[in-house]
């Protein structure tokens, strides 16, 4: 289990130190999910910050540290989970002259997204996962969740401020995010005894639905795409 978090402010400008301070506070909330290591990555021009807390299992060395940058320097990923067939993916990518620095499933997932694109990669991978992928070229952020929603992934968009995290408590650490309980979701909780898998207790805050991913662009437009559902498989 690891923790992922980040934010992209499409409206306000931050200093490098502000970006660093905020993402470190958000990341610190997730230490219990990943006590072995942690890291951040910041794009100062885009006001975008990514954070990760790591539970080292498959690749225990520093070569598996996240956020991780693709070999072509185009993509950056923060990822939580396990890709069961990553050795097979790695072998296919190596046949296409993709080189690897580590034995981590993170790097296999990252290079797969870089080489095949998000749609094909999600159709090929098997596992439990939640990840965020930043595309430097398109200036686009992609968030994806596994087929059954085993790994959590929350996101929120308020006044051109986009945030995401493995747990909603990290969102509270951003000074511009407004914490307000959603009465409709609260009613769902009292009715069903749980919060539905695509909702959150907070307003303007949701979970990526199982088997789906979203894209958010420079204009703050969010597009959701479901790549798998039980009825069709």
């Amino acid at each position: 289990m690891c923790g992922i978090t980040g934010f992209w402010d499409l409206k306000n400008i931050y200093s490098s130190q502000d970006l660093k301070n905020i993402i470190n506070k958000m990341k610190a909330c997730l230490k219990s999910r990943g006590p072995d290591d942690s890291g951040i990555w910041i794009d100062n021009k885009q006001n975008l910050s990514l954070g990760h807390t790591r539970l080292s299992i498959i690749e225990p060395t520093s070569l598996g540290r996240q956020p991780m940058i693709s070999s072509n320097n185009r993509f950056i990923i923060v990822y939580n989970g396990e890709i069961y067939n990553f050795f097979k993916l790695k072998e296919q990518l190596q046949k296409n002259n993709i080189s690897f620095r580590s034995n981590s499933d993170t790097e296999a997932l990252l290079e797969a997204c870089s080489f095949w694109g998000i749609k094909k990669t999600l159709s090929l991978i098997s596992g439990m996962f939640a990840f965020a992928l930043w595309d430097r070229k398109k200036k686009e952020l992609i968030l994806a969740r596994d087929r059954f929603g085993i790994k959590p992934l929350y996101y929120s968009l308020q006044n051109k401020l986009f945030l995401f995290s493995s747990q909603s408590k990290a969102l509270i650490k951003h000074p511009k995010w407004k914490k307000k309980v959603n009465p409709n979701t609260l009613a769902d909780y009292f009715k069903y005894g749980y919060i539905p898998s695509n909702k959150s207790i907070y307003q303007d805050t949701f979970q990526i639905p199982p088997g789906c991913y979203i894209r958010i662009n420079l204009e703050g437009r969010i597009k959701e795409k479901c790549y798998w559902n039980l009825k069709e498989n």
Side-chain angles (χ1 to χ4, degrees), residues 118-120 122-123 129 140-147 155 207-216 221-229 232:
I118 187 68
K119 184 177 180 180
K120 183 173 180 180
L122 289 171
S123 71
F129 56 83
E140 180 181 71
L141 187 63
I142 299 170
L143 272 63
R145 195 175 180 197
D146 63 73
R147 290 169 173 80
Y155 72 95
Q207 296 186 63
I208 304 294
C212 297
Y213 65 94
I214 66 169
R215 298 176 184 266
I216 178 168
R221 294 195 184 114
I222 297 176
K223 291 185 178 179
E224 181 182 298
K225 176 73 175 179
C226 290
Y227 64 91
W228 187 92
N229 69 68
E232 296 180 1

PDB file of all heavy atoms in Angstrom, residues 118-120 122-123 129 140-147 155 207-216 221-229 232:
ATOM      1  N   ILE A 118      -2.717   5.560 -22.639  1.00  0.00           N
ATOM      2  CA  ILE A 118      -3.490   5.157 -21.464  1.00  0.00           C
ATOM      3  C   ILE A 118      -4.549   4.109 -21.793  1.00  0.00           C
ATOM      4  O   ILE A 118      -4.753   3.148 -21.036  1.00  0.00           O
ATOM      5  CB  ILE A 118      -4.137   6.397 -20.780  1.00  0.00           C
ATOM      6  CG1 ILE A 118      -4.803   6.003 -19.452  1.00  0.00           C
ATOM      7  CG2 ILE A 118      -5.113   7.095 -21.711  1.00  0.00           C
ATOM      8  CD1 ILE A 118      -3.838   5.599 -18.384  1.00  0.00           C
ATOM      9  N   LYS A 119      -5.228   4.262 -22.929  1.00  0.00           N
ATOM     10  CA  LYS A 119      -6.331   3.355 -23.263  1.00  0.00           C
ATOM     11  C   LYS A 119      -5.854   1.928 -23.442  1.00  0.00           C
ATOM     12  O   LYS A 119      -6.413   0.985 -22.858  1.00  0.00           O
ATOM     13  CB  LYS A 119      -7.034   3.844 -24.528  1.00  0.00           C
ATOM     14  CG  LYS A 119      -8.263   3.035 -24.902  1.00  0.00           C
ATOM     15  CD  LYS A 119      -8.956   3.624 -26.127  1.00  0.00           C
ATOM     16  CE  LYS A 119     -10.191   2.813 -26.494  1.00  0.00           C
ATOM     17  NZ  LYS A 119     -10.877   3.381 -27.689  1.00  0.00           N
ATOM     18  N   LYS A 120      -4.809   1.735 -24.226  1.00  0.00           N
ATOM     19  CA  LYS A 120      -4.313   0.373 -24.463  1.00  0.00           C
ATOM     20  C   LYS A 120      -3.679  -0.198 -23.208  1.00  0.00           C
ATOM     21  O   LYS A 120      -3.853  -1.377 -22.900  1.00  0.00           O
ATOM     22  CB  LYS A 120      -3.307   0.364 -25.610  1.00  0.00           C
ATOM     23  CG  LYS A 120      -2.822  -1.048 -25.949  1.00  0.00           C
ATOM     24  CD  LYS A 120      -1.960  -1.085 -27.186  1.00  0.00           C
ATOM     25  CE  LYS A 120      -1.507  -2.520 -27.473  1.00  0.00           C
ATOM     26  NZ  LYS A 120      -0.666  -2.600 -28.688  1.00  0.00           N
ATOM     27  N   LEU A 122      -4.418   0.330 -20.073  1.00  0.00           N
ATOM     28  CA  LEU A 122      -5.449  -0.122 -19.136  1.00  0.00           C
ATOM     29  C   LEU A 122      -6.109  -1.418 -19.585  1.00  0.00           C
ATOM     30  O   LEU A 122      -6.587  -2.195 -18.760  1.00  0.00           O
ATOM     31  CB  LEU A 122      -6.496   0.976 -18.937  1.00  0.00           C
ATOM     32  CG  LEU A 122      -6.024   2.195 -18.134  1.00  0.00           C
ATOM     33  CD1 LEU A 122      -7.060   3.317 -18.190  1.00  0.00           C
ATOM     34  CD2 LEU A 122      -5.724   1.820 -16.686  1.00  0.00           C
ATOM     35  N   SER A 123      -6.134  -1.644 -20.874  1.00  0.00           N
ATOM     36  CA  SER A 123      -6.707  -2.901 -21.381  1.00  0.00           C
ATOM     37  C   SER A 123      -5.745  -4.071 -21.196  1.00  0.00           C
ATOM     38  O   SER A 123      -6.169  -5.231 -21.179  1.00  0.00           O
ATOM     39  CB  SER A 123      -7.068  -2.761 -22.869  1.00  0.00           C
ATOM     40  OG  SER A 123      -5.902  -2.709 -23.679  1.00  0.00           O
ATOM     41  N   PHE A 129      -4.960  -1.016  -8.547  1.00  0.00           N
ATOM     42  CA  PHE A 129      -4.138   0.176  -8.699  1.00  0.00           C
ATOM     43  C   PHE A 129      -4.962   1.459  -8.685  1.00  0.00           C
ATOM     44  O   PHE A 129      -6.173   1.469  -8.921  1.00  0.00           O
ATOM     45  CB  PHE A 129      -3.359   0.120 -10.026  1.00  0.00           C
ATOM     46  CG  PHE A 129      -4.239  -0.067 -11.237  1.00  0.00           C
ATOM     47  CD1 PHE A 129      -4.867   1.010 -11.840  1.00  0.00           C
ATOM     48  CD2 PHE A 129      -4.469  -1.334 -11.766  1.00  0.00           C
ATOM     49  CE1 PHE A 129      -5.690   0.839 -12.949  1.00  0.00           C
ATOM     50  CE2 PHE A 129      -5.290  -1.522 -12.872  1.00  0.00           C
ATOM     51  CZ  PHE A 129      -5.900  -0.422 -13.462  1.00  0.00           C
ATOM     52  N   GLU A 140      -1.693  17.715 -19.581  1.00  0.00           N
ATOM     53  CA  GLU A 140      -2.905  16.983 -19.223  1.00  0.00           C
ATOM     54  C   GLU A 140      -2.601  16.033 -18.076  1.00  0.00           C
ATOM     55  O   GLU A 140      -1.550  15.396 -18.043  1.00  0.00           O
ATOM     56  CB  GLU A 140      -3.392  16.200 -20.438  1.00  0.00           C
ATOM     57  CG  GLU A 140      -4.640  15.383 -20.224  1.00  0.00           C
ATOM     58  CD  GLU A 140      -5.034  14.628 -21.483  1.00  0.00           C
ATOM     59  OE1 GLU A 140      -4.318  13.664 -21.847  1.00  0.00           O
ATOM     60  OE2 GLU A 140      -6.037  15.004 -22.114  1.00  0.00           O
ATOM     61  N   LEU A 141      -3.542  15.953 -17.130  1.00  0.00           N
ATOM     62  CA  LEU A 141      -3.407  15.050 -15.991  1.00  0.00           C
ATOM     63  C   LEU A 141      -4.444  13.944 -16.115  1.00  0.00           C
ATOM     64  O   LEU A 141      -5.631  14.202 -16.353  1.00  0.00           O
ATOM     65  CB  LEU A 141      -3.607  15.818 -14.684  1.00  0.00           C
ATOM     66  CG  LEU A 141      -3.329  15.065 -13.381  1.00  0.00           C
ATOM     67  CD1 LEU A 141      -1.870  14.640 -13.281  1.00  0.00           C
ATOM     68  CD2 LEU A 141      -3.706  15.933 -12.180  1.00  0.00           C
ATOM     69  N   ILE A 142      -3.988  12.702 -15.951  1.00  0.00           N
ATOM     70  CA  ILE A 142      -4.859  11.532 -16.056  1.00  0.00           C
ATOM     71  C   ILE A 142      -4.876  10.803 -14.727  1.00  0.00           C
ATOM     72  O   ILE A 142      -3.820  10.560 -14.131  1.00  0.00           O
ATOM     73  CB  ILE A 142      -4.378  10.575 -17.165  1.00  0.00           C
ATOM     74  CG1 ILE A 142      -4.386  11.275 -18.521  1.00  0.00           C
ATOM     75  CG2 ILE A 142      -5.250   9.318 -17.195  1.00  0.00           C
ATOM     76  CD1 ILE A 142      -3.709  10.484 -19.615  1.00  0.00           C
ATOM     77  N   LEU A 143      -6.069  10.463 -14.245  1.00  0.00           N
ATOM     78  CA  LEU A 143      -6.231   9.682 -13.027  1.00  0.00           C
ATOM     79  C   LEU A 143      -6.984   8.403 -13.372  1.00  0.00           C
ATOM     80  O   LEU A 143      -8.020   8.461 -14.050  1.00  0.00           O
ATOM     81  CB  LEU A 143      -7.017  10.455 -11.963  1.00  0.00           C
ATOM     82  CG  LEU A 143      -6.248  11.368 -11.008  1.00  0.00           C
ATOM     83  CD1 LEU A 143      -5.573  12.491 -11.791  1.00  0.00           C
ATOM     84  CD2 LEU A 143      -7.176  11.947  -9.957  1.00  0.00           C
ATOM     85  N   ALA A 144      -6.479   7.271 -12.918  1.00  0.00           N
ATOM     86  CA  ALA A 144      -7.095   5.988 -13.258  1.00  0.00           C
ATOM     87  C   ALA A 144      -7.211   5.099 -12.028  1.00  0.00           C
ATOM     88  O   ALA A 144      -6.391   5.168 -11.102  1.00  0.00           O
ATOM     89  CB  ALA A 144      -6.284   5.283 -14.336  1.00  0.00           C
ATOM     90  N   ARG A 145      -8.231   4.229 -12.061  1.00  0.00           N
ATOM     91  CA  ARG A 145      -8.505   3.317 -10.941  1.00  0.00           C
ATOM     92  C   ARG A 145      -8.782   1.914 -11.471  1.00  0.00           C
ATOM     93  O   ARG A 145      -9.299   1.751 -12.581  1.00  0.00           O
ATOM     94  CB  ARG A 145      -9.709   3.824 -10.150  1.00  0.00           C
ATOM     95  CG  ARG A 145      -9.885   3.198  -8.778  1.00  0.00           C
ATOM     96  CD  ARG A 145     -11.034   3.854  -8.041  1.00  0.00           C
ATOM     97  NE  ARG A 145     -11.239   3.286  -6.718  1.00  0.00           N
ATOM     98  CZ  ARG A 145     -12.340   3.451  -6.015  1.00  0.00           C
ATOM     99  NH1 ARG A 145     -13.327   4.203  -6.502  1.00  0.00           N
ATOM    100  NH2 ARG A 145     -12.464   2.904  -4.820  1.00  0.00           N
ATOM    101  N   ASP A 146      -8.442   0.901 -10.703  1.00  0.00           N
ATOM    102  CA  ASP A 146      -8.584  -0.485 -11.157  1.00  0.00           C
ATOM    103  C   ASP A 146     -10.041  -0.885 -11.354  1.00  0.00           C
ATOM    104  O   ASP A 146     -10.967  -0.180 -10.963  1.00  0.00           O
ATOM    105  CB  ASP A 146      -7.894  -1.444 -10.182  1.00  0.00           C
ATOM    106  CG  ASP A 146      -8.511  -1.412  -8.794  1.00  0.00           C
ATOM    107  OD1 ASP A 146      -9.624  -1.937  -8.619  1.00  0.00           O
ATOM    108  OD2 ASP A 146      -7.883  -0.849  -7.875  1.00  0.00           O
ATOM    109  N   ARG A 147     -10.230  -2.035 -11.946  1.00  0.00           N
ATOM    110  CA  ARG A 147     -11.551  -2.486 -12.396  1.00  0.00           C
ATOM    111  C   ARG A 147     -12.586  -2.610 -11.276  1.00  0.00           C
ATOM    112  O   ARG A 147     -13.770  -2.373 -11.497  1.00  0.00           O
ATOM    113  CB  ARG A 147     -11.414  -3.834 -13.119  1.00  0.00           C
ATOM    114  CG  ARG A 147     -10.711  -3.744 -14.460  1.00  0.00           C
ATOM    115  CD  ARG A 147     -10.377  -5.136 -14.991  1.00  0.00           C
ATOM    116  NE  ARG A 147      -9.856  -5.105 -16.345  1.00  0.00           N
ATOM    117  CZ  ARG A 147      -8.605  -4.819 -16.668  1.00  0.00           C
ATOM    118  NH1 ARG A 147      -7.745  -4.528 -15.693  1.00  0.00           N
ATOM    119  NH2 ARG A 147      -8.209  -4.812 -17.919  1.00  0.00           N
ATOM    120  N   TYR A 155     -10.870  12.840  -5.954  1.00  0.00           N
ATOM    121  CA  TYR A 155     -10.474  14.075  -6.633  1.00  0.00           C
ATOM    122  C   TYR A 155     -11.504  15.160  -6.377  1.00  0.00           C
ATOM    123  O   TYR A 155     -12.667  14.887  -6.050  1.00  0.00           O
ATOM    124  CB  TYR A 155     -10.288  13.852  -8.139  1.00  0.00           C
ATOM    125  CG  TYR A 155     -11.568  13.656  -8.919  1.00  0.00           C
ATOM    126  CD1 TYR A 155     -12.197  14.723  -9.560  1.00  0.00           C
ATOM    127  CD2 TYR A 155     -12.150  12.397  -9.030  1.00  0.00           C
ATOM    128  CE1 TYR A 155     -13.361  14.537 -10.287  1.00  0.00           C
ATOM    129  CE2 TYR A 155     -13.309  12.197  -9.750  1.00  0.00           C
ATOM    130  CZ  TYR A 155     -13.914  13.285 -10.381  1.00  0.00           C
ATOM    131  OH  TYR A 155     -15.077  13.097 -11.095  1.00  0.00           O
ATOM    132  N   GLN A 207     -14.953  10.161  -6.033  1.00  0.00           N
ATOM    133  CA  GLN A 207     -13.992   9.087  -6.253  1.00  0.00           C
ATOM    134  C   GLN A 207     -14.018   8.725  -7.734  1.00  0.00           C
ATOM    135  O   GLN A 207     -15.079   8.753  -8.363  1.00  0.00           O
ATOM    136  CB  GLN A 207     -14.347   7.857  -5.424  1.00  0.00           C
ATOM    137  CG  GLN A 207     -14.272   8.063  -3.917  1.00  0.00           C
ATOM    138  CD  GLN A 207     -14.490   6.770  -3.165  1.00  0.00           C
ATOM    139  OE1 GLN A 207     -13.713   5.830  -3.284  1.00  0.00           O
ATOM    140  NE2 GLN A 207     -15.549   6.703  -2.381  1.00  0.00           N
ATOM    141  N   ILE A 208     -12.859   8.379  -8.270  1.00  0.00           N
ATOM    142  CA  ILE A 208     -12.843   7.830  -9.620  1.00  0.00           C
ATOM    143  C   ILE A 208     -13.637   6.525  -9.575  1.00  0.00           C
ATOM    144  O   ILE A 208     -13.351   5.660  -8.753  1.00  0.00           O
ATOM    145  CB  ILE A 208     -11.404   7.532 -10.085  1.00  0.00           C
ATOM    146  CG1 ILE A 208     -10.528   8.789 -10.005  1.00  0.00           C
ATOM    147  CG2 ILE A 208     -11.407   6.964 -11.502  1.00  0.00           C
ATOM    148  CD1 ILE A 208     -10.914   9.897 -10.936  1.00  0.00           C
ATOM    149  N   PRO A 209     -14.651   6.352 -10.418  1.00  0.00           N
ATOM    150  CA  PRO A 209     -15.416   5.107 -10.382  1.00  0.00           C
ATOM    151  C   PRO A 209     -14.539   3.903 -10.749  1.00  0.00           C
ATOM    152  O   PRO A 209     -13.592   4.043 -11.535  1.00  0.00           O
ATOM    153  CB  PRO A 209     -16.505   5.329 -11.449  1.00  0.00           C
ATOM    154  CG  PRO A 209     -16.599   6.818 -11.588  1.00  0.00           C
ATOM    155  CD  PRO A 209     -15.212   7.325 -11.366  1.00  0.00           C
ATOM    156  N   PRO A 210     -14.812   2.748 -10.187  1.00  0.00           N
ATOM    157  CA  PRO A 210     -14.055   1.546 -10.560  1.00  0.00           C
ATOM    158  C   PRO A 210     -14.098   1.323 -12.075  1.00  0.00           C
ATOM    159  O   PRO A 210     -15.137   1.510 -12.701  1.00  0.00           O
ATOM    160  CB  PRO A 210     -14.795   0.428  -9.817  1.00  0.00           C
ATOM    161  CG  PRO A 210     -15.394   1.114  -8.631  1.00  0.00           C
ATOM    162  CD  PRO A 210     -15.800   2.475  -9.125  1.00  0.00           C
ATOM    163  N   GLY A 211     -12.970   0.935 -12.640  1.00  0.00           N
ATOM    164  CA  GLY A 211     -12.900   0.672 -14.072  1.00  0.00           C
ATOM    165  C   GLY A 211     -12.927   1.913 -14.943  1.00  0.00           C
ATOM    166  O   GLY A 211     -13.234   1.821 -16.129  1.00  0.00           O
ATOM    167  N   CYS A 212     -12.600   3.049 -14.370  1.00  0.00           N
ATOM    168  CA  CYS A 212     -12.672   4.309 -15.119  1.00  0.00           C
ATOM    169  C   CYS A 212     -11.403   5.138 -14.954  1.00  0.00           C
ATOM    170  O   CYS A 212     -10.588   4.883 -14.074  1.00  0.00           O
ATOM    171  CB  CYS A 212     -13.868   5.149 -14.663  1.00  0.00           C
ATOM    172  SG  CYS A 212     -15.483   4.404 -14.951  1.00  0.00           S
ATOM    173  N   TYR A 213     -11.264   6.130 -15.826  1.00  0.00           N
ATOM    174  CA  TYR A 213     -10.204   7.118 -15.674  1.00  0.00           C
ATOM    175  C   TYR A 213     -10.736   8.467 -16.128  1.00  0.00           C
ATOM    176  O   TYR A 213     -11.744   8.555 -16.842  1.00  0.00           O
ATOM    177  CB  TYR A 213      -8.948   6.730 -16.466  1.00  0.00           C
ATOM    178  CG  TYR A 213      -9.094   6.704 -17.974  1.00  0.00           C
ATOM    179  CD1 TYR A 213      -8.756   7.814 -18.750  1.00  0.00           C
ATOM    180  CD2 TYR A 213      -9.549   5.557 -18.634  1.00  0.00           C
ATOM    181  CE1 TYR A 213      -8.860   7.779 -20.133  1.00  0.00           C
ATOM    182  CE2 TYR A 213      -9.663   5.510 -20.010  1.00  0.00           C
ATOM    183  CZ  TYR A 213      -9.306   6.630 -20.761  1.00  0.00           C
ATOM    184  OH  TYR A 213      -9.426   6.593 -22.130  1.00  0.00           O
ATOM    185  N   ILE A 214     -10.075   9.523 -15.672  1.00  0.00           N
ATOM    186  CA  ILE A 214     -10.468  10.870 -16.083  1.00  0.00           C
ATOM    187  C   ILE A 214      -9.257  11.610 -16.636  1.00  0.00           C
ATOM    188  O   ILE A 214      -8.106  11.292 -16.309  1.00  0.00           O
ATOM    189  CB  ILE A 214     -11.087  11.683 -14.925  1.00  0.00           C
ATOM    190  CG1 ILE A 214     -10.053  11.964 -13.816  1.00  0.00           C
ATOM    191  CG2 ILE A 214     -12.318  11.002 -14.360  1.00  0.00           C
ATOM    192  CD1 ILE A 214     -10.520  12.985 -12.790  1.00  0.00           C
ATOM    193  N   ARG A 215      -9.546  12.593 -17.483  1.00  0.00           N
ATOM    194  CA  ARG A 215      -8.524  13.498 -17.992  1.00  0.00           C
ATOM    195  C   ARG A 215      -8.943  14.917 -17.610  1.00  0.00           C
ATOM    196  O   ARG A 215     -10.111  15.268 -17.727  1.00  0.00           O
ATOM    197  CB  ARG A 215      -8.416  13.427 -19.519  1.00  0.00           C
ATOM    198  CG  ARG A 215      -8.007  12.087 -20.088  1.00  0.00           C
ATOM    199  CD  ARG A 215      -8.040  12.154 -21.612  1.00  0.00           C
ATOM    200  NE  ARG A 215      -7.757  10.888 -22.253  1.00  0.00           N
ATOM    201  CZ  ARG A 215      -6.551  10.508 -22.662  1.00  0.00           C
ATOM    202  NH1 ARG A 215      -5.531  11.329 -22.491  1.00  0.00           N
ATOM    203  NH2 ARG A 215      -6.368   9.331 -23.242  1.00  0.00           N
ATOM    204  N   ILE A 216      -7.979  15.735 -17.203  1.00  0.00           N
ATOM    205  CA  ILE A 216      -8.247  17.140 -16.959  1.00  0.00           C
ATOM    206  C   ILE A 216      -7.216  17.958 -17.723  1.00  0.00           C
ATOM    207  O   ILE A 216      -6.020  17.658 -17.684  1.00  0.00           O
ATOM    208  CB  ILE A 216      -8.243  17.495 -15.454  1.00  0.00           C
ATOM    209  CG1 ILE A 216      -8.488  18.992 -15.263  1.00  0.00           C
ATOM    210  CG2 ILE A 216      -6.972  17.038 -14.771  1.00  0.00           C
ATOM    211  CD1 ILE A 216      -8.791  19.404 -13.849  1.00  0.00           C
ATOM    212  N   ARG A 221     -11.295  21.310 -17.814  1.00  0.00           N
ATOM    213  CA  ARG A 221     -12.356  20.402 -18.265  1.00  0.00           C
ATOM    214  C   ARG A 221     -11.994  18.968 -17.897  1.00  0.00           C
ATOM    215  O   ARG A 221     -10.888  18.506 -18.164  1.00  0.00           O
ATOM    216  CB  ARG A 221     -12.540  20.509 -19.780  1.00  0.00           C
ATOM    217  CG  ARG A 221     -13.065  21.860 -20.230  1.00  0.00           C
ATOM    218  CD  ARG A 221     -13.560  21.782 -21.670  1.00  0.00           C
ATOM    219  NE  ARG A 221     -13.965  23.095 -22.135  1.00  0.00           N
ATOM    220  CZ  ARG A 221     -13.348  23.766 -23.099  1.00  0.00           C
ATOM    221  NH1 ARG A 221     -12.324  23.239 -23.711  1.00  0.00           N
ATOM    222  NH2 ARG A 221     -13.774  24.967 -23.473  1.00  0.00           N
ATOM    223  N   ILE A 222     -12.947  18.285 -17.299  1.00  0.00           N
ATOM    224  CA  ILE A 222     -12.750  16.894 -16.891  1.00  0.00           C
ATOM    225  C   ILE A 222     -13.576  15.985 -17.795  1.00  0.00           C
ATOM    226  O   ILE A 222     -14.775  16.179 -17.967  1.00  0.00           O
ATOM    227  CB  ILE A 222     -13.155  16.679 -15.420  1.00  0.00           C
ATOM    228  CG1 ILE A 222     -12.261  17.507 -14.492  1.00  0.00           C
ATOM    229  CG2 ILE A 222     -13.071  15.201 -15.055  1.00  0.00           C
ATOM    230  CD1 ILE A 222     -12.654  17.415 -13.033  1.00  0.00           C
ATOM    231  N   LYS A 223     -12.910  14.992 -18.364  1.00  0.00           N
ATOM    232  CA  LYS A 223     -13.600  13.988 -19.175  1.00  0.00           C
ATOM    233  C   LYS A 223     -13.411  12.624 -18.538  1.00  0.00           C
ATOM    234  O   LYS A 223     -12.286  12.214 -18.250  1.00  0.00           O
ATOM    235  CB  LYS A 223     -13.045  13.982 -20.599  1.00  0.00           C
ATOM    236  CG  LYS A 223     -13.374  15.235 -21.397  1.00  0.00           C
ATOM    237  CD  LYS A 223     -12.891  15.105 -22.837  1.00  0.00           C
ATOM    238  CE  LYS A 223     -13.264  16.340 -23.654  1.00  0.00           C
ATOM    239  NZ  LYS A 223     -12.794  16.248 -25.055  1.00  0.00           N
ATOM    240  N   GLU A 224     -14.524  11.941 -18.308  1.00  0.00           N
ATOM    241  CA  GLU A 224     -14.476  10.615 -17.703  1.00  0.00           C
ATOM    242  C   GLU A 224     -14.688   9.548 -18.764  1.00  0.00           C
ATOM    243  O   GLU A 224     -15.544   9.674 -19.639  1.00  0.00           O
ATOM    244  CB  GLU A 224     -15.543  10.494 -16.616  1.00  0.00           C
ATOM    245  CG  GLU A 224     -15.543   9.148 -15.902  1.00  0.00           C
ATOM    246  CD  GLU A 224     -16.644   9.049 -14.861  1.00  0.00           C
ATOM    247  OE1 GLU A 224     -16.618   9.852 -13.903  1.00  0.00           O
ATOM    248  OE2 GLU A 224     -17.526   8.166 -15.004  1.00  0.00           O
ATOM    249  N   LYS A 225     -13.912   8.482 -18.676  1.00  0.00           N
ATOM    250  CA  LYS A 225     -14.018   7.361 -19.600  1.00  0.00           C
ATOM    251  C   LYS A 225     -13.937   6.064 -18.816  1.00  0.00           C
ATOM    252  O   LYS A 225     -13.029   5.868 -18.004  1.00  0.00           O
ATOM    253  CB  LYS A 225     -12.878   7.421 -20.626  1.00  0.00           C
ATOM    254  CG  LYS A 225     -12.830   6.246 -21.580  1.00  0.00           C
ATOM    255  CD  LYS A 225     -13.958   6.302 -22.604  1.00  0.00           C
ATOM    256  CE  LYS A 225     -13.803   5.185 -23.628  1.00  0.00           C
ATOM    257  NZ  LYS A 225     -14.909   5.205 -24.623  1.00  0.00           N
ATOM    258  N   CYS A 226     -14.894   5.180 -19.044  1.00  0.00           N
ATOM    259  CA  CYS A 226     -14.865   3.874 -18.394  1.00  0.00           C
ATOM    260  C   CYS A 226     -14.297   2.846 -19.375  1.00  0.00           C
ATOM    261  O   CYS A 226     -14.799   2.697 -20.488  1.00  0.00           O
ATOM    262  CB  CYS A 226     -16.258   3.460 -17.935  1.00  0.00           C
ATOM    263  SG  CYS A 226     -16.856   4.452 -16.537  1.00  0.00           S
ATOM    264  N   TYR A 227     -13.228   2.182 -18.965  1.00  0.00           N
ATOM    265  CA  TYR A 227     -12.559   1.220 -19.841  1.00  0.00           C
ATOM    266  C   TYR A 227     -12.991  -0.220 -19.588  1.00  0.00           C
ATOM    267  O   TYR A 227     -12.638  -1.117 -20.343  1.00  0.00           O
ATOM    268  CB  TYR A 227     -11.039   1.343 -19.685  1.00  0.00           C
ATOM    269  CG  TYR A 227     -10.517   0.995 -18.308  1.00  0.00           C
ATOM    270  CD1 TYR A 227     -10.118  -0.304 -17.996  1.00  0.00           C
ATOM    271  CD2 TYR A 227     -10.403   1.964 -17.312  1.00  0.00           C
ATOM    272  CE1 TYR A 227      -9.638  -0.624 -16.735  1.00  0.00           C
ATOM    273  CE2 TYR A 227      -9.921   1.664 -16.049  1.00  0.00           C
ATOM    274  CZ  TYR A 227      -9.530   0.363 -15.769  1.00  0.00           C
ATOM    275  OH  TYR A 227      -9.066   0.050 -14.522  1.00  0.00           O
ATOM    276  N   TRP A 228     -13.776  -0.434 -18.503  1.00  0.00           N
ATOM    277  CA  TRP A 228     -14.197  -1.802 -18.160  1.00  0.00           C
ATOM    278  C   TRP A 228     -15.424  -1.739 -17.287  1.00  0.00           C
ATOM    279  O   TRP A 228     -15.552  -0.865 -16.427  1.00  0.00           O
ATOM    280  CB  TRP A 228     -13.079  -2.533 -17.410  1.00  0.00           C
ATOM    281  CG  TRP A 228     -13.337  -3.982 -17.151  1.00  0.00           C
ATOM    282  CD1 TRP A 228     -12.965  -5.031 -17.938  1.00  0.00           C
ATOM    283  CD2 TRP A 228     -14.001  -4.560 -16.009  1.00  0.00           C
ATOM    284  NE1 TRP A 228     -13.372  -6.216 -17.375  1.00  0.00           N
ATOM    285  CE2 TRP A 228     -13.991  -5.967 -16.193  1.00  0.00           C
ATOM    286  CE3 TRP A 228     -14.593  -4.022 -14.868  1.00  0.00           C
ATOM    287  CZ2 TRP A 228     -14.560  -6.835 -15.279  1.00  0.00           C
ATOM    288  CZ3 TRP A 228     -15.173  -4.897 -13.946  1.00  0.00           C
ATOM    289  CH2 TRP A 228     -15.142  -6.291 -14.151  1.00  0.00           C
ATOM    290  N   ASN A 229     -16.360  -2.666 -17.518  1.00  0.00           N
ATOM    291  CA  ASN A 229     -17.472  -2.848 -16.573  1.00  0.00           C
ATOM    292  C   ASN A 229     -17.892  -4.308 -16.562  1.00  0.00           C
ATOM    293  O   ASN A 229     -17.700  -5.037 -17.542  1.00  0.00           O
ATOM    294  CB  ASN A 229     -18.644  -1.919 -16.883  1.00  0.00           C
ATOM    295  CG  ASN A 229     -19.358  -2.255 -18.159  1.00  0.00           C
ATOM    296  OD1 ASN A 229     -20.016  -3.284 -18.260  1.00  0.00           O
ATOM    297  ND2 ASN A 229     -19.231  -1.397 -19.172  1.00  0.00           N
ATOM    298  N   GLU A 232     -20.199  -6.085 -19.354  1.00  0.00           N
ATOM    299  CA  GLU A 232     -19.658  -6.339 -20.694  1.00  0.00           C
ATOM    300  C   GLU A 232     -18.511  -7.326 -20.684  1.00  0.00           C
ATOM    301  O   GLU A 232     -17.920  -7.619 -21.721  1.00  0.00           O
ATOM    302  CB  GLU A 232     -19.218  -5.031 -21.337  1.00  0.00           C
ATOM    303  CG  GLU A 232     -20.353  -4.066 -21.589  1.00  0.00           C
ATOM    304  CD  GLU A 232     -19.901  -2.764 -22.226  1.00  0.00           C
ATOM    305  OE1 GLU A 232     -18.680  -2.629 -22.491  1.00  0.00           O
ATOM    306  OE2 GLU A 232     -20.755  -1.898 -22.447  1.00  0.00           O
TER     307      GLU A 232
END
